[in-house]
């Protein structure tokens, strides 16, 4: 299988393949399955690392998708990551990573443990598609409204051009939101991951403006000669 030009290798998935894969998600991730199934109506793919891609958004880039789901991790991989990075996940977060090692759902990013960050020594690389690193949330948290020190930043969502909400998980599995920019300062709490996902994915997603089309000097020259010929 050859990689596509300007992108990573991927193969198209039939509707029944997508449904079979989503059916393996636990009930607490029903909102994720629903969003992915809807996005997959316009086409779905699986990349070489096993990530599910759906809802191709070419106006935002050749590798932009509405939905991107990474396959879950083994319990031993999650333990190895925590040990390497000296971080303790709430049990509910470790359980989430077993089924979904990160995701992109419209403008919601759920962080995960990139496979390259589980090796010793860990190495953050973008040579293959990977989720945002959940361990880096320990540094990113300082950009948001203050949250409980024991809470782990594990997700974020763009709500406007300058506003973003960071989602923190408390030791008991509750989820709280803390904003920055023009986002709401505080949101939640939600009792668990299921309640949080149901609420957040029910909100209309923020749609950033399409990227401007940059024309090469040759294209600009052709356009100039075209206008000249009309004079």
């Amino acid at each position: 299988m050859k990689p596509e030009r300007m992108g990573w290798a991927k193969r198209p998935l039939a509707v029944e393949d997508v449904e079979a894969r989503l059916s393996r998600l636990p009930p607490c991730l029903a909102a994720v399955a629903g969003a992915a199934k809807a996005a997959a109506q316009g086409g779905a793919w699986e990349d070489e690392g096993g990530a599910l891609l759906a809802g191709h958004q070419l106006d935002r880039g050749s590798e932009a998708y509405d939905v991107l789901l990474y396959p879950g991790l083994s319990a031993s991989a999650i333990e190895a990551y925590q040990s390497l990075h000296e971080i303790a996940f709430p049990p509910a977060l470790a359980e989430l990573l077993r089924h979904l090692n990160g995701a992109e759902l419209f403008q919601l990013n759920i962080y995960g443990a990139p496979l390259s960050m589980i090796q010793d020594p860990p190495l953050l690389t973008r040579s293959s598609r990977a989720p945002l690193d959940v361990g880096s949330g320990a540094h990113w948290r300082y950009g948001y409204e203050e949250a409980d020190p024991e809470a782990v930043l594990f997700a974020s969502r763009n709500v406007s051009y300058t506003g973003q909400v960071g989602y923190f998980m408390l030791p008991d599995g509750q989820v709280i939101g803390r904003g920055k920019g023009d986002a709401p300062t505080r949101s939640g709490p939600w009792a668990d991951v299921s309640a949080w996902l149901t609420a957040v994915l029910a909100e209309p997603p923020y749609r950033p403006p399409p990227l401007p089309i940059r024309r090469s000097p040759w294209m600009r020259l052709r356009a100039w000669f075209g206008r000249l010929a009309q004079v």
Side-chain angles (χ1 to χ4, degrees):
M1 182 169 56
K2 294 181 180 179
E4 294 188 350
R5 184 171 178 266
M6 300 297 290
W8 289 295
K10 60 186 179 184
R11 66 180 183 89
L13 293 176
V15 173
E16 53 268 25
D17 294 329
V18 175
E19 292 179 346
R21 176 162 174 171
L22 295 177
S23 69
R24 294 194 290 269
L25 293 176
C28 65
L29 298 181
V32 171
K37 185 176 180 179
Q41 298 304 309
W45 299 263
E46 183 178 75
D47 76 2
E48 55 193 352
L52 173 65
L53 319 169
H56 207 176
Q57 295 295 315
L58 287 171
D59 63 331
R60 302 202 331 259
S62 62
E63 290 299 326
Y65 299 87
D66 275 335
V67 171
L68 198 166
L69 308 181
Y70 293 95
L73 293 174
S74 66
S76 59
I78 295 170
E79 290 176 5
Y81 181 91
Q82 293 180 92
S83 177
L84 276 170
H85 299 278
E86 299 181 344
I87 183 173
F89 292 148
L93 180 54
E95 181 65 17
L96 172 63
L97 295 176
R98 287 189 58 229
H99 301 286
L100 193 66
N101 183 33
E104 295 175 22
L105 297 151
F106 303 97
Q107 290 298 310
L108 173 65
N109 259 298
I110 300 176
Y111 309 157
L115 299 183
S116 63
M117 294 294 283
I118 301 176
Q119 63 188 20
D120 192 5
L123 176 66
L124 191 57
T125 174
R126 291 302 177 191
S127 60
S128 60
R129 201 187 307 271
L132 292 178
D133 178 39
V134 66
S136 296
H139 308 289
W140 298 337
R141 66 180 298 141
Y142 296 109
Y144 298 97
E145 179 75 12
E146 186 176 358
D148 188 313
E150 294 186 342
V152 176
L153 177 65
F154 76 104
S156 57
R157 181 170 64 107
N158 295 327
V159 295
S160 70
Y161 188 72
T162 59
Q164 188 179 80
V165 177
Y167 296 103
F168 296 77
M169 186 177 290
L170 297 168
D172 64 359
Q174 288 191 80
V175 178
I176 57 174
R178 296 292 183 265
K180 66 178 177 179
D182 62 4
T185 303
R186 292 172 179 252
S187 53
W190 295 274
D192 51 32
V193 166
S194 179
W196 165 66
L197 284 169
T198 300
V200 169
L201 292 178
E203 298 179 12
Y206 165 66
R207 289 287 187 182
L211 296 174
I213 299 175
R214 296 183 178 180
R215 296 190 297 178
S216 68
W218 169 241
M219 292 176 66
R220 291 196 295 268
L221 186 61
R222 285 185 61 186
W224 183 84
F225 276 115
R227 290 193 298 270
L228 187 64
Q230 296 173 6
V231 175

